[in-house]
């Protein structure tokens, strides 16, 4: 970046003015000028390295990815996803018996672009579960994994579901978030503030394995409460995810989806979970390392 130099600018310490400028030869002047330029170049390089290092620590974007435009809070419906459970494991919330989730849970908070694409894996910062140790109880309940097996991550191999969400999406949320704790805590707070399960239940849309509801009615119920249009994602005719979109200051905004994977009438499947005892007869119990 070009800078303007004035009479008060500070010269590099290596710059040495000639003792008698009138008697200095052309060669000496050239050598001094080159020394000055070299010192300035080294100073610029050093400053650039420092700035890059600071940016990496703070989670700034790497790999040429630009800053995101908005957030999408993706919520998943356990009834739809858990109906596909074929194997149980200790990490799968679908297998918690009476403690299995019965309301929308968090899939992730995703930084997105207005052109329909998104950044991913934006900083080489590995997930550290100790950073969110005080949030683990809430995360287990409201942001659980609904699958067996370990999730892929950007820099940590295979690991926790939260590691995947932080390394792939959370690291791209700079400059709004600069650390794990802030990312997960804020996501939980936004989830609590906009309780989609409560909004739909109060509008008469409740879990059922027989009822079908008009998609337009579901969208309208959320719009009336949220003051913005959500995105609804379906698996066949069952609601699988609902996404709420936000500006960077977390004021609601319309999601971009111009078309949906859902039919005109959709369902919210009710899922009766099997716990470990029952799963030993209904499905194979596997460890996390063995899970598919």
């Amino acid at each position: 970046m070009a800078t303007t130099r004035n009479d008060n600018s500070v010269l590099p310490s290596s710059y040495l003015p000639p003792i008698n400028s009138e008697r200095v030869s052309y060669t000496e002047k050239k050598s001094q000028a080159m020394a000055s330029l070299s010192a300035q170049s080294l100073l610029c390089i050093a400053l650039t390295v420092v700035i890059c290092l600071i940016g990496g620590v703070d989670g700034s974007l790497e790999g040429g990815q630009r800053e995101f435009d908005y957030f999408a809070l993706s919520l998943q419906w356990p009834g739809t996803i858990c109906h596909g459970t074929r194997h149980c494991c200790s990490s799968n919330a679908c297998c918690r018996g009476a403690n299995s989730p019965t309301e929308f849970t968090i899939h992730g908070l995703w930084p997105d672009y207005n052109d329909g694409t998104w950044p991913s894996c934006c900083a080489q910062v590995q997930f550290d579960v100790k950073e969110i140790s005080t949030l683990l109880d809430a995360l287990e309940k409201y942001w659980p994994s609904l699958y067996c097996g370990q999730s892929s991550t950007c820099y940590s191999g295979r690991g926790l579901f939260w590691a995947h969400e932080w390394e792939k999406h959370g690291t791209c949320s700079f400059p709004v978030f600069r650390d794990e704790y802030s990312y997960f805590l804020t996501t939980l707070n936004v989830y609590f503030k906009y309780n989609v399960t409560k909004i739909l239940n109060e509008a008469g849309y409740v879990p059922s394995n027989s009822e079908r509801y008009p998609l337009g009615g579901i969208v309208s119920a959320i719009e009336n409460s949220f003051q913005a249009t959500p995105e609804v994602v379906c698996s066949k005719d069952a609601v699988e995810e609902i996404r709420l979109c936000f500006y960077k200051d977390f004021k609601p905004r319309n999601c971009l989806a111009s078309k949906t994977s859902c039919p005109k009438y959709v369902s919210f499947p009710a899922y009766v979970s099997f716990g470990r005892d029952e799963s030993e007869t209904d499905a194979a119990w596997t460890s996390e390392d063995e899970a598919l």
Side-chain angles (χ1 to χ4, degrees), residues 185-258:
L185 177 63
T186 302
T187 304
L188 285 167
N189 285 333
V190 173
Y191 167 80
F192 295 141
K193 182 176 181 178
Y194 300 102
N195 189 329
V196 171
T197 306
K198 182 180 179 182
I199 292 171
L200 294 178
N201 286 350
E202 290 178 349
Y205 302 113
V206 297
S208 172
N209 289 325
S210 58
E211 292 291 329
R212 296 292 182 270
Y213 303 112
L215 176 63
I218 291 170
V219 171
S220 294
I222 296 174
E223 285 178 332
N224 292 338
S225 177
F226 185 59
Q227 301 302 308
T229 302
E231 178 184 358
V232 184
V233 178
C234 291
S235 175
K236 297 182 179 180
D237 67 343
V239 172
E240 186 171 55
E241 295 199 2
I242 289 180
R243 295 168 186 165
L244 305 179
C245 298
F246 301 87
Y247 294 103
K248 294 178 185 179
D249 60 0
F250 287 99
K251 292 180 180 178
R253 56 161 280 174
N254 293 335
C255 292
L256 296 180
S258 58

Side-chain angles (χ1 to χ4, degrees), residues 164-199:
H164 168 85
E165 292 299 316
W166 164 247
E167 292 188 13
K168 182 176 181 180
H169 302 291
T171 60
C172 298
S173 60
F174 178 88
V176 178
F177 299 118
R178 297 170 182 265
D179 60 81
E180 276 180 45
Y181 183 82
S182 299
Y183 172 75
F184 285 99
L185 177 63
T186 302
T187 304
L188 285 167
N189 285 333
V190 173
Y191 167 80
F192 295 141
K193 182 176 181 178
Y194 300 102
N195 189 329
V196 171
T197 306
K198 182 180 179 182
I199 292 171

Side-chain angles (χ1 to χ4, degrees), residues 78-87 92 94 146-147 240 271 274:
T80 300
I81 296 174
C82 293
H83 264 293
T85 300
R86 295 294 177 268
H87 299 276
N92 190 340
C94 295
L146 301 180
Y147 300 93
E240 186 171 55
Y271 177 64
F274 48 79

Side-chain angles (χ1 to χ4, degrees), residues 37-113:
L37 288 173
S38 297
Q40 292 182 52
S41 298
L42 289 173
L43 179 60
C44 289
I45 293 172
L47 288 173
T48 301
V49 170
V50 170
I51 291 171
C52 289
L53 288 174
I54 293 173
V57 171
D58 285 344
S60 57
L61 305 188
E62 295 182 358
Q65 300 184 91
R66 67 186 189 276
E67 186 176 322
F68 72 102
D69 295 319
Y70 72 97
F71 283 114
L73 175 64
S74 186
L75 308 174
Q76 50 193 359
W77 180 245
T80 300
I81 296 174
C82 293
H83 264 293
T85 300
R86 295 294 177 268
H87 299 276
C88 263
C89 58
S90 58
S91 65
N92 190 340
C94 295
C95 304
R96 294 177 181 170
N99 293 321
S100 294
T102 57
E103 57 188 342
F104 279 96
T105 61
I106 302 169
H107 185 169
L109 181 68
W110 303 338
D112 284 346
Y113 294 132

